[in-house]
């Protein structure tokens, strides 16, 4: 019996890995370099007027933005393996339109954006950067999305909703070691134990494929990762579904923001531009196109409260 179980697990693992490596276009997202459905915006004179008179863009007439192509739907390389596309690049284009500028995207490794921004290589970073109190010491922020983690389960799971700690009591949850979501779930676990509820069982795997195999095989009940990543996986594989979201700043909201050099004066103009996009409906169209409407903000703020130092 043990041999049969191991054999079945091996076959399931190989099948899953082959499926995960299939073309991303199957996910129903437009990953073409041309992006015919890209949403564009008109000039926003209020935002343009808010740009400080002495502010110098890296390249005159252009809004130079760093983005890390970490994966869809936020930012990735198109099917030509050269053009950067996704929700963040499209939003950057709309902001550039609002400012009356052309967009210059600069693909960077995530670890490199702070030094590049500080040294003046680009005007802003639009790459899923979360607002934290520590980062606010060096950078200014204009919020444009909620920072969310997602609770996802197998499509046929009996679990329908996870909104608060007691909803997760007794569940086997896959989470990344050392992540913010792990920190929050450990607090949830403490609350549940104090309330006499069953503890959470946190599980850790080396990679995404192993995590999804564990979920598919029934060895885990729930997977928790950044929401956008799981949205794409759910669309690609059609084997998991969302049953809840978790703020990165739980129990408070935590925002993702355009990041600019501290004191550059550009943040207020970018906040005004984002609010203009929200008012015009362009903002919601961009999020809808990339299936991220759950991450929408009602309004952009300059330097909103960020995650505290831990």
């Amino acid at each position: 019996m043990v041999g049969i179980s191991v054999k079945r697990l091996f076959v399931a693992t190989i099948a899953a890995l082959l499926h995960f490596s299939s073309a991303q276009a199957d996910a129903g997202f437009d990953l073409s370099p041309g992006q015919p459905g890209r949403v564009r915006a008109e000039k926003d004179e209020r935002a343009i007027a808010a740009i400080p008179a002495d502010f110098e863009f890296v390249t005159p007439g252009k809004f130079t933005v760093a983005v890390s192509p970490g994966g869809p739907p936020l930012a990735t390389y198109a099917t030509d393996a050269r053009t950067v596309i996704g929700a963040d690049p499209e939003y950057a284009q709309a902001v550039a339109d609002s400012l009356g500028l052309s967009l210059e995207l600069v693909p960077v490794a995530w670890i490199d954006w702070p030094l590049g921004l500080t040294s003046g290589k680009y005007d802003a970073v639009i790459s899923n950067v979360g607002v934290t109190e520590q980062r606010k010491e060096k950078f200014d922020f204009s919020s444009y999305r909620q920072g969310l983690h997602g609770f996802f389960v197998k499509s046929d799971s009996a679990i329908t909703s996870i909104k608060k700690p007691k909803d997760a009591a007794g569940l086997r949850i896959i989470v990344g070691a050392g992540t913010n979501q792990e920190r929050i779930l450990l607090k949830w676990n403490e609350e549940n134990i104090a309330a006499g509820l069953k503890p959470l069982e946190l599980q850790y795997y080396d990679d995404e494929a192993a995590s999804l195999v564990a979920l598919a095989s029934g060895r885990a009940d729930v997977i928790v990762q950044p929401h956008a990543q799981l949205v794409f996986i759910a669309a690609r594989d059609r084997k998991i579904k969302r049953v809840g979201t978790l703020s990165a700043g739980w129990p408070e909201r935590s925002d993702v923001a355009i990041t600019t050099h501290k004191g550059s004066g550009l943040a207020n103009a970018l906040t005004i531009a984002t609010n203009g996009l929200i008012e015009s409906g362009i903002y919601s169209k961009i999020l809808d196109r990339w299936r991220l409407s759950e991450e929408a903000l009602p309004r952009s703020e300059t330097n909103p409260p960020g995650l505290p130092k831990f």
Side-chain angles (χ1 to χ4, degrees):
M1 292 296 291
V2 173
I4 294 175
S5 297
V6 170
K7 182 177 180 180
R8 286 177 177 171
L9 180 59
F10 175 77
V11 171
T13 301
I14 295 300
L17 290 173
L18 289 173
H19 178 66
F20 297 153
S21 64
S22 64
Q24 292 181 338
D26 291 341
F29 290 90
D30 175 15
L31 302 183
S32 67
Q35 292 293 291
R38 173 170 286 176
V39 182
R40 300 295 295 266
E42 301 294 330
K43 285 186 181 180
D44 186 335
E45 297 299 337
R46 297 170 301 175
I48 295 171
I51 301 173
D54 60 350
F55 182 83
E56 295 183 4
F57 287 94
V58 171
T59 302
K62 292 186 177 182
F63 183 39
T64 303
V65 176
V67 61
S68 177
L74 295 180
T76 190
Y77 285 103
T79 52
D80 65 355
R82 182 173 63 251
T83 306
V84 180
I85 60 170
D88 280 346
E90 186 161 332
Y91 169 69
Q93 180 64 69
V95 172
D97 291 342
S98 299
L99 299 178
L101 303 170
S102 60
L103 176 65
E104 181 73 25
L105 278 180
V106 181
V108 299
W110 171 261
I111 197 172
D112 293 336
W113 72 257
L115 180 59
L117 184 57
T118 302
S119 62
K121 289 185 178 180
Y122 21 84
D123 303 309
V125 177
I126 300 181
S127 194
N128 201 43
V129 179
V131 182
T132 70
E133 292 303 312
Q134 185 169 5
R135 285 175 180 160
K136 282 165 68 176
E137 295 174 2
K138 294 184 178 181
F139 306 104
D140 285 329
F141 294 95
S142 302
S143 58
Y144 69 97
R145 280 200 341 265
Q146 293 186 62
L148 293 182
H149 305 307
F151 291 104
F152 280 66
V153 298
K154 287 175 60 177
S155 296
D156 60 356
S157 172
I159 300 168
T160 59
S161 178
I162 299 177
K163 295 182 178 179
K164 45 190 178 296
K166 70 177 185 179
D167 297 335
L171 297 181
R172 300 165 297 170
I173 303 178
I174 299 170
V175 67
T179 61
N180 188 48
Q181 53 266 35
E182 180 198 31
R183 177 186 62 80
I184 295 171
L185 290 177
L186 289 173
K187 289 190 175 183
W188 278 30
N189 195 44
E190 291 174 3
E191 286 192 17
N192 284 342
I193 292 173
L197 300 174
K198 291 183 179 180
L200 281 63
E201 180 187 314
L202 301 187
Q203 298 183 5
Y204 305 90
Y205 294 91
D206 292 335
D207 55 39
E208 178 183 283
S211 297
L212 294 174
V213 168
L215 190 66
S217 67
R219 287 183 284 128
D221 302 307
V222 185
I223 185 170
V224 179
Q225 282 184 13
H227 176 255
Q229 295 176 8
L230 292 174
V231 165
F232 180 79
I233 292 170
R236 180 192 67 190
D237 299 344
R238 300 179 183 179
K239 293 183 178 181
I240 62 174
K241 64 181 179 181
R242 180 179 54 237
V243 293
T245 56
L246 173 68
S247 171
W250 181 88
E252 304 298 330
R253 193 182 79 200
S254 176
D255 294 341
V256 169
I258 307 174
T259 310
T260 51
H261 192 272
K262 189 75 175 177
S264 69
L266 189 59
N268 285 335
L270 299 176
T271 299
I272 292 170
T274 296
N275 282 324
L277 294 171
I278 292 173
E279 293 164 8
S280 69
I282 296 295
Y283 173 80
S284 62
K285 288 180 181 179
I286 293 171
L287 293 186
D288 287 346
R289 199 165 92 84
W290 295 98
R291 306 186 191 183
L292 296 174
S293 57
E294 289 78 14
E295 300 189 7
L297 285 174
R299 190 161 184 80
S300 175
E301 298 178 60
T302 299
N303 290 326
L307 287 176
K309 297 179 181 179
F310 296 108

